[in-house]
Amino acid sequence: MNEQNPTTLRMRLMFATSGPLAYVSVLDLGRLWERALRRAAIPLRYSLGFNPRPKMQFAAPLPTGCGSEAEWLDIWLTEPCEPAAIATALAGTLPPDLHVIEITWVPEDAPALSELMRAVTYRVLLRDVVAAELETACAALLKEENVLRVKRGRRRHQHYDLRQLIETLSVTPALEPWTVALEMRLKAQAGATGRPDEVLSALGLADIPRRCTRTGLFLSSPAEAPDL
Amino acid sequence: MESMTHNQLLNTNTPDPASNLRRPISWETIETLLHRVQKPGRYVGGEFNAVHKPWDAVTTRICLAFPDLYDLGMSNFALQILYDILNRREDILAERTYLPAPDMIAAMRQGNMPLYALESYHPVAAFDILAISTAYEQLFTNTLELLDLAGLPIRAADRDARHPLIVGGGHGAFNPEPMCDFFDIFIIGEAEEVILELVERFSQTRTLSREAQLQALLGIEGLYIPRFYRADYTVANAFAGITPLLPEVPVPVRRRIVGTLPPTPIHQIVPNIETTHDRGIIEIQRGCTHGCRFCQAGIITRPVRERPAEEIIQDVFAIAAATGYSEIGFLSLSSADHTEIETLLQTLQQQCSGLHLGFSLPSLRIDAFSVALAEGLTGSRKSGFTFAPEAATEALRRCINKEIHTEDLLTIAEEVFKRGWRTLKLYFMIGLPGETDEDILAIADLAHELRRIGVRFGGRKTEIHVSISTFVPKPQTAFQWEALADADTIARRQALLFQNLRGRGFKVSWNKYPGTSIEALLTRGDRRLNAIIERAWQLGARFDAWDEWWNLDAWEQALTELAPESFGSVEALREYFMYRERSENEVFPWDHLLSGVERRFLLQDAQRSRAGEFLSDCRGICHACGILHHYANHRGAEWRCPLPKSSKPATNQQTTGNENQL
């Protein structure tokens, strides 16, 4: 855990999202947090200039369609606050499917979480998929040296190698109504971030109903990483 | 391919046609569709301030629907007001639904999933009442799509007491005749005044047939129940009038109004995804005293009722605390007219400093006062300053009663550019009564003149955005007798404008004529259009306001198939509804629906228009439109109608004396 530093104006919130909130974009999530913090009257630090925004940083953008068991958000304040006081103020101002797990002090000069990101784990629950067949498909995918896929959101068709972004991939049992859970650990660094829906597409599961949850974020420096 | 309705897909051939539409849909089931659609956040609910009540703990359940995308529907303030009023009652539950985008509609139909409400995920068909906004004509085909996606028969005659009561309301309800076969009831006027009466009376009629339920509602003022009226036509197929079929049926149905604006909803629902108007809303004023002759809203929302500044300030802080919004939009038809607007904004600027709370003011007038107001709003320079002169020549402005003079407009533009705005947006209408090519060229000349002024004060980056819409004659206005300009005229005038507005610093946008012509057809239509709307929908017409989805071919085919029956040809139908100038004695399909503004007044105003006469803002002098006569007993302290000259207090007695002030 971070050292207790009651004078810092930077706080780290660990939170979880589920249900309907899994279906908002990362921009929506930022707006949603800003409004929740404003409702709680947390003294947010705003940027200067024409269109002031509160200073906030997520560790890694959460893909639309994914809930999360452990997201990190750094916020900057204008006056020091006790984590417990923030937690109390936030009670009752959060949307139904947003939960705060932990709030800690962070030194102002600590590196941005996004710079420390290394990998992300996801659990994807699937229906109507037979475990043995999925295991075979995963093994085949992991055996490939390259899995080229088209980058999204570019005008020209550029390709990237999805295989290099997959660190682990495994199949575990799941409860009704799901038949299997696909567990994966994907690289998450600047310019090299794996997306779970891309893995599903590569496995031929693009059209299969799923529930996707981010289960963990992994940082490069253990000193900076809150326990998972 | 679309001939099979969702009803048939849902296989409702059981003794109770809606039995499989009663239970809530599970989250897991909804989730099976979401990975396949764009912006899934539209379909999941879960917003802060949404009201969740136990289904079985209330006696009446109402679903409020806006028949277009969530992004638009969430910005409709009327539904927020009703949601607030209804959910304040312990015995009532109100939830929301919107029309999903085509990709989600397809996924739902494929998955046999009916339309559901966003709070409890109950199918829309499980509610007692389904209230659908009929705010404007482009929502009409979407309304049929919404009913069908809900698994409901689209025609009222095919529904019974096991189905929700289908209620319409909004500005479009001031001529609801083209949609009267699909709705059970239209609320004429301000629904917040009627809705609880409607719900209470309806909840006492549960054991009755639908016909008997509707008869029980006949005594409520402001409800129009189309099935109790018959439309007649002449041998020449002209509309001849509406006849009530029962002795207790009201003629005319008079608009309901609130005397004083009801309290602002404070706990406004905060969407999780970005919506069209993503901000808190306070209605600072209802109604407008300018009397622009093309404007339907200006007639059907009279009289002007202000919200006191003190109340607005309280609302600002309450809404900011309850929602976390960093912007509050002030809603009104003419913001600068609010008598306390200047002190209101000054007070807010003082009290909100450091809170990062901004305000937006729609519909400012073209005057120095409005420029000064806009200057005080943070961030307003980004989006440009907006002028809506509507017409570029003095003669045409006299015709539409927009009292602005070109030299004043230029002086005010100078102020705008001096104070740092670089973009000026201009709104004009073309196809106005009596318009000539010179009027069009004058738009181009004015835009060039304004750009020269802009360049002088702000440099060559100055941009003039000209937005052109085609004038559509609207029911319940002084222009309801006018003809729509035909396609050739509009095409020629648009081309004329583009030829003269080329080059750097100009941006021109316009409404496509085919879409405008559908709006024009529907807005002054009669009951014979129900079949055409239904057919167009069957053939795939929906999202008529969306360039990427709307379907002109479906409309053309529906007209080709059905026009001959009543009109001989499509051309004859268009001539009848759109291109024909009506005579003074025309019987309109909406004559039995009274806004409170008298037809006599509108006709006089139409004559003034032809004579090129302005009619002054009615704050100063009452022009006897009929409002004070009809609503004398409603008069509240915040009305901006002039007080009658007689010494009697206006609230106690009929104020017919006031009618004669002119």
Side-chain angles (χ1 to χ4, degrees), chain B residues 194-494:
Chain B
V194 194
I195 193 80
L196 290 177
E197 254 176 88
L198 169 61
V199 171
E200 276 162 19
R201 186 85 61 94
F202 180 69
S203 68
Q204 291 157 13
T205 66
R206 286 306 166 69
T207 55
L208 304 179
S209 70
R210 179 53 43 93
E211 185 84 3
Q213 287 177 326
L214 291 169
Q215 285 192 27
L217 295 169
L218 271 173
I220 299 179
E221 212 191 328
L223 295 190
Y224 172 50
I225 307 178
R227 73 174 65 186
F228 296 136
Y229 301 78
R230 186 188 71 226
D232 296 310
Y233 306 92
T234 68
V235 284
N237 282 318
F239 175 77
I242 287 275
T243 311
L245 298 173
L246 297 170
E248 64 269 36
V249 172
V251 180
V253 177
R254 199 179 66 173
R255 176 172 69 111
R256 289 290 288 271
I257 69 163
V258 293
T260 304
L261 291 183
T264 303
I266 301 300
H267 294 271
Q268 299 180 10
I269 299 175
V270 186
N272 289 332
I273 63 168
E274 192 170 16
T275 56
T276 313
H277 296 292
D278 212 353
R279 56 179 85 108
I281 299 178
I282 300 173
E283 188 184 20
I284 63 168
Q285 176 180 292
R286 193 176 296 181
C288 180
T289 50
H290 288 287
C292 300
R293 292 181 179 122
F294 55 84
C295 179
Q296 189 193 44
I299 296 294
I300 64 176
T301 63
R302 289 182 181 205
V304 165
R305 288 147 288 171
E306 287 185 0
R307 193 179 298 285
E310 200 182 331
E311 191 182 325
I312 296 169
I313 292 166
Q314 282 172 11
D315 291 345
V316 163
F317 290 105
I319 291 170
T323 63
Y325 279 126
S326 49
E327 185 182 341
I328 307 280
F330 290 152
L331 196 66
S332 83
L333 291 174
S334 183
S335 302
D337 288 351
H338 192 288
T339 44
E340 299 174 288
I341 191 75
E342 205 170 6
T343 39
L344 171 69
L345 291 181
Q346 279 168 2
T347 310
L348 285 172
Q349 269 151 30
Q350 285 161 11
Q351 296 189 8
C352 295
S353 103
L355 296 181
H356 302 287
L357 190 58
F359 301 94
S360 58
L361 276 187
S363 310
L364 284 167
R365 299 180 312 229
I366 306 177
D367 58 21
F369 180 65
S370 295
V371 180
L373 288 179
E375 195 180 27
L377 300 174
T378 44
S380 72
R381 275 181 195 74
K382 296 180 292 192
S383 51
F385 202 93
T386 303
F387 280 178
E390 308 293 358
T393 58
E394 185 84 10
L396 215 47
R397 285 191 210 121
R398 283 179 178 278
C399 159
I400 63 175
N401 202 38
K402 191 97 190 180
E403 200 167 357
I404 305 151
H405 305 287
T406 301
E407 65 233 63
D408 296 336
L409 200 149
L410 298 177
T411 315
I412 294 149
E414 200 174 304
E415 283 303 306
V416 169
F417 291 122
K418 270 185 191 165
R419 292 173 191 227
W421 275 276
R422 292 291 163 264
T423 302
L424 190 60
K425 295 181 189 170
L426 300 170
Y427 285 86
F428 291 100
M429 281 190 292
I430 60 172
L432 286 164
E435 181 184 85
T436 64
D437 285 358
E438 279 68 48
D439 293 306
I440 303 301
L441 291 170
I443 296 177
D445 290 344
L446 183 59
H448 281 283
E449 183 62 34
L450 289 167
R451 176 131 208 284
R452 275 192 290 276
I453 296 172
V455 169
R456 189 162 2 119
F457 292 99
R460 304 196 56 80
K461 277 191 175 167
T462 300
E463 285 205 30
I464 307 290
H465 295 182
V466 180
S467 177
I468 305 292
S469 60
T470 298
F471 162 67
V472 174
K474 288 283 184 182
Q476 314 270 5
T477 67
F479 283 163
Q480 62 186 350
W481 288 272
E482 297 294 338
L484 176 77
D486 61 47
D488 291 344
T489 306
I490 294 300
R492 197 183 68 248
R493 297 211 163 130
Q494 283 177 345

Side-chain angles (χ1 to χ4, degrees), chain B residues 468-631:
Chain B
I468 305 292
S469 60
T470 298
F471 162 67
V472 174
K474 288 283 184 182
Q476 314 270 5
T477 67
F479 283 163
Q480 62 186 350
W481 288 272
E482 297 294 338
L484 176 77
D486 61 47
D488 291 344
T489 306
I490 294 300
R492 197 183 68 248
R493 297 211 163 130
Q494 283 177 345
L496 194 60
L497 195 59
F498 301 145
Q499 282 161 19
N500 289 283
L501 269 184
R502 289 209 180 119
R504 184 175 166 183
F506 295 106
K507 208 184 263 182
V508 186
S509 58
W510 68 97
N511 289 356
K512 291 190 177 123
Y513 188 80
T516 303
S517 75
I518 298 293
E519 180 195 341
L521 169 68
L522 299 179
T523 193
R524 289 190 296 172
D526 62 33
R527 293 191 169 193
R528 290 171 290 186
L529 292 186
N530 282 274
I532 292 171
I533 294 169
E534 181 176 2
R535 186 65 188 135
W537 167 73
Q538 283 171 349
L539 293 165
R542 58 214 60 181
F543 290 103
D544 290 324
W546 293 80
D547 278 349
E548 60 267 55
W549 292 323
W550 86 295
N551 187 336
L552 180 61
D553 293 344
W555 279 107
E556 292 294 339
Q557 193 184 330
L559 287 169
T560 307
E561 287 177 20
L562 297 175
E565 191 185 322
S566 298
F567 295 92
S569 68
V570 177
E571 290 67 34
L573 177 143
R574 289 205 165 110
E575 178 65 22
Y576 180 80
F577 287 112
M578 292 149 67
Y579 301 126
R580 175 174 65 97
E581 194 181 305
R582 273 66 159 173
S583 77
E584 278 186 24
N585 303 320
E586 176 83 14
V587 183
F588 289 117
W590 52 90
D591 276 343
H592 59 299
L593 304 174
L594 181 65
S595 71
V597 175
E598 295 280 353
R599 179 182 164 128
R600 171 188 50 76
F601 169 82
L602 295 174
L603 189 60
Q604 285 166 359
D605 206 31
Q607 287 157 352
R608 279 189 286 265
S609 169
R610 290 187 186 195
E613 289 172 21
F614 281 127
L615 185 67
S616 67
D617 187 313
C618 64
R619 271 166 202 257
I621 178 166
C622 177
H623 303 305
C625 69
I627 289 291
L628 283 178
H629 170 67
H630 283 287
Y631 300 105

